[in-house]
Amino acid sequence: MGVVGTLIEAIHILFSWPVFGWMILGVLLGIVVGALPGIGAALGMAIVLPFTFPLDRISALVLLIGIYTGAMYGGSIAAILINTPGTGGAAATTFDGYPMTRKGLATTALSISATASAIGGGLSLLTLILISPLLIELVLLFGSPEYFLMAILGLSMITIVAKTSIVKGLVAGAFGMLLATIGIAPSTGESRYTFGLFALYDGLSFVAVLIGLFAISEMIKLAAEQSSIATNDLEMGGGITNGIKEVFYHPICTIKSGYIGMAIGAIPGAGASVANFIAYGEASRSSKNSDEFGTGCSEGVIASEASNSGTIGGSLIPTLSFGIPGSAATAVLLGGLIMHGLQPGPHLFKEELHITYSLFLAVLLGNIIILLTGILAITRMSYLTRINTNKIIPVVIVLAFLGGIALRTNWIDVITVLILGILGYYMVRNNYSIIAFVLGVILGPIAEENLLRSLQISGGSWNIFVTQPISFLLMILIVVILFGPFVKTALAKRS
Amino acid sequence: MDLKIPANSPVSGTDELLLLFLFFITSGYMYLEADSFDSTAALWPQMLAAFVLIGIVSLLIQNYLPEPLQRVVAESVSVIEVNGDAEMKESEEEITKNESSLFVVLTSITYIAVGYLIGLVWATPLFVAIYTAWFQLKWYIIIGLSTLTFVIAYTFMTFMHLPLDRGVIFGGI
């Protein structure tokens, strides 16, 4: 079946029941979790993940993608109304979104956000669908040595995108990989670090790890923070159609920001929280009204929102092609894929292409739902900002632990959620990247399997990682990424 | 070895020393334990454990390293220059240690411990009631949330066939 035929099949799947219902539910849930400061896409998806077990895999993945898509828009609601971004991807939205609210244009700002998110996200996905045949060809060129090096490359990129000591980032990532060695060794079937406990033979559940790191540690952090929840009714001035028109009056800004988001989203670990600042900065630089940025300029909101939704398409590229998550949320999505028996790589672009296209189309359709929901429910959005986080935190913690026990009816998973949650909190507190840690846990088994297979192929010789052209290139990239910034600084100091 | 933290070390505070100690002990144990595995099964964990151990030691002694190495260990590099804190969500802002976070940690540990003893479905409303009371929410919110979470736990027990009403003390698990 060709690409077009598979796309048509994917459309049939997406519009069938209950898949369509799960998608709508996912988007609406995503908008809510995105709007609640401190919650966000990754946490929302991590909590829901164990409860997708009874669903068929397409419904489960469409639900998760829906939450991801909805949260990218939802983060703008609190950003615009109370100057507190619901997600990291909406941080730059506060710069002009909140001033618009103060000018009595909250409805206009929310309408701009919904429209720009829909267009940015939609463009990114359409582009992804168009380039997917090229992606397939690229993925097929990769063998075991290349997959091993891609895992190391992914981890290396996290450490330089994150603002932390490079050694701290690598230690966090390597420690995550080390924990992933608990259980049965892939090559020999020998049990490692199980202490004779049958429950540990399958190793630590990476879903439990995700829940602990993204749910429990975030709730501990949220409990410690001063939350800027609105206590009074907000004045929702401005107009919906004015907001929609503003986006269409700035097509270059919208399209450019969407593609900036897509490009940044494809870099592992970068994600929406980086993309929205870069897109905002670029919009400010290139605008004829750059003086108005920061005072309630619609282009500022457009740039931030189009880019953060644009990251969705970009982040799916490394996730589906190589199993390297482009963001925290796609790390959870990857967990969902693996949990439902799907392996990232060529398989997803050949035998399971209809599932892959269903996911792409779910994001596309999700953006339309966001537009409709955003526009229809704009005047009621302020309610979300009045929810006290102390009502949400205990419920999320309960759901996290119930999710842990639901995975394998195994108290080891509950303890994993608890310990990793506390560990994750203290790691964040001391500037150790938990996304590097999560990546380590997810990539560790992939890296080990491909390392051992490569060494088997080469008869134990490590030259296999430098003698093939693509693997040699990847090695160079890893070295450049890790040491390049230091060499550049040293050369600059000398000159 | 002098464990006094140097002034410009990337390692700061008791928290971080404890974290590094945990990493050190875990990695050290896993490295040594891997000697009892088949060589193929031991390769990857030993490589990783050695890497973590070297990383930890370099963080602790970074002030005594030659300048080029010190720069590699201590400095943050980000190829994406942004305004404000554009990091991933985990370092959006500085997290300050206070009673609330410690309270959540301790109550979560107690919740799991009590749940293991008597069953999660019974421990859940207790945890939520204690949590919401500590944060001084209104009485009807406390009762409402405790009831809601009890219903959620009970629903999961029923529909997902989870043994949440049993613990070590009651019901035997």
Side-chain angles (χ1 to χ4, degrees), chain B residues 51-173:
Chain B
F51 188 87
V52 173
L53 290 168
I54 292 168
I56 291 168
V57 169
S58 65
L59 283 169
L60 289 170
I61 64 167
Q62 63 95 22
N63 265 7
Y64 308 103
L65 295 171
E67 201 214 323
L69 274 178
Q70 197 181 85
R71 205 181 305 129
V72 171
V73 173
E75 281 180 12
S76 305
V77 281
S78 182
V79 293
I80 299 174
E81 293 297 328
V82 293
N83 295 319
D85 226 347
E87 213 328 41
M88 299 289 294
K89 206 161 96 163
E90 70 265 22
S91 53
E92 281 171 4
E93 56 195 2
E94 197 67 38
I95 302 168
T96 57
K97 183 177 176 177
N98 63 29
E99 286 177 359
S100 299
S101 55
L102 198 56
F103 173 75
V104 176
V105 170
L106 292 174
T107 45
S108 297
I109 293 171
T110 310
Y111 169 41
I112 294 309
V114 171
Y116 184 70
L117 291 173
I118 67 172
L120 274 176
V121 80
W122 314 118
T124 294
L126 292 174
F127 163 72
V128 174
I130 291 169
Y131 182 98
T132 46
W134 199 83
F135 281 95
Q136 298 174 333
L137 297 187
K138 297 200 165 55
W139 65 267
Y140 53 86
I141 303 282
I142 295 172
I143 293 172
L145 282 178
S146 304
T147 309
L148 172 68
T149 49
F150 174 76
V151 168
I152 290 172
Y154 195 86
T155 306
F156 278 114
M157 181 181 75
T158 309
F159 287 100
M160 297 183 80
H161 306 293
L162 301 170
L164 300 180
D165 59 342
R166 280 170 263 163
V168 168
I169 295 177
F170 304 125
I173 54 167

Side-chain angles (χ1 to χ4, degrees), chain A residues 5-15 353-355 357-358 361:
Chain A
T6 313
L7 258 177
I8 293 171
E9 186 189 349
I11 292 171
H12 277 289
I13 293 171
L14 195 59
F15 282 93
L353 186 60
H354 60 290
I355 295 180
Y357 279 166
S358 298
L361 290 172

Side-chain angles (χ1 to χ4, degrees), chain A residues 125-443:
Chain A
L125 254 300
L126 275 173
T127 308
L128 181 59
I129 291 171
L130 286 172
I131 68 171
S132 61
L134 292 173
L135 268 179
I136 297 167
E137 297 306 318
L138 179 66
V139 166
L140 287 173
L141 292 174
F142 278 60
S144 291
E146 289 79 19
Y147 272 105
F148 169 71
L149 289 170
M150 277 301 286
I152 305 300
L153 178 67
L155 210 52
S156 308
M157 291 185 86
I158 296 280
T159 60
I160 61 151
V161 170
K163 280 186 172 179
T164 181
S165 150
I166 209 165
V167 172
K168 285 189 178 185
L170 289 172
V171 164
F175 192 71
M177 284 186 162
L178 188 55
L179 290 186
T181 61
I182 296 171
I184 301 290
S187 50
T188 62
E190 191 174 348
S191 67
R192 297 185 298 201
Y193 314 114
T194 59
F195 303 101
L197 292 172
F198 185 70
L200 279 177
Y201 273 45
D202 281 336
L204 295 181
S205 163
F206 63 84
V207 178
V209 171
L210 290 174
I211 295 172
L213 290 174
F214 290 132
I216 300 297
S217 70
E218 278 301 313
M219 291 303 100
I220 298 171
K221 177 186 155 197
L222 201 60
E225 283 172 359
Q226 296 272 332
S227 66
S228 304
I229 298 296
T231 52
N232 302 317
D233 281 341
L234 292 160
E235 190 193 326
M236 303 290 288
I240 293 173
T241 45
N242 291 342
I244 296 173
K245 282 182 197 169
E246 278 296 315
V247 177
F248 286 99
Y249 289 158
H250 299 95
I252 307 277
C253 178
T254 308
I255 294 170
K256 188 169 56 170
S257 302
Y259 281 121
I260 287 174
M262 185 177 184
I264 304 284
I267 302 172
S273 52
V274 172
N276 74 133
F277 279 104
I278 293 183
Y280 184 89
E282 171 54 26
S284 170
R285 183 201 66 80
S286 57
S287 171
K288 292 173 194 162
N289 310 309
S290 53
D291 289 343
E292 290 177 21
F293 275 71
T295 65
C297 178
S298 56
E299 279 177 273
V301 179
I302 292 169
S304 176
E305 288 301 305
S307 65
N308 72 33
S309 290
T311 60
I312 299 174
S315 64
L316 287 176
I317 296 172
T319 306
L320 299 179
S321 307
F322 305 110
I324 298 172
S327 63
T330 44
V332 182
L333 181 67
L334 182 60
L337 278 167
I338 296 171
M339 200 168 92
H340 287 274
L342 292 165
Q343 286 294 330
H347 192 63
L348 274 182
F349 290 91
K350 286 169 77 179
E351 292 85 8
E352 310 284 9
L353 186 60
H354 60 290
I355 295 180
T356 306
Y357 279 166
S358 298
L359 296 182
F360 293 168
L361 290 172
V363 178
L364 205 56
L365 200 53
N367 282 295
I368 297 173
I369 296 172
I370 283 169
L371 183 62
L372 293 171
T373 309
I375 286 167
L376 292 172
I378 267 175
T379 51
R380 289 163 191 77
M381 295 292 191
S382 63
Y383 173 73
L384 290 170
T385 63
R386 296 202 298 274
I387 298 175
N388 186 339
T389 50
N390 284 321
K391 294 177 193 167
I392 299 166
I393 290 169
V395 178
V396 171
I397 290 176
V398 164
L399 285 172
F401 287 127
L402 289 178
I405 195 84
L407 290 171
R408 299 183 289 189
T409 321
N410 179 343
W411 276 91
I412 296 286
D413 293 337
V414 179
I415 293 167
T416 303
V417 170
L418 177 66
I419 293 177
L420 270 293
I422 297 170
L423 180 69
Y425 171 68
Y426 285 103
M427 283 178 69
V428 173
R429 222 171 114 111
N430 293 289
N431 215 19
Y432 288 80
S433 171
I434 59 167
I435 191 66
F437 183 78
V438 165
L439 215 57
V441 172
I442 292 174
L443 293 179

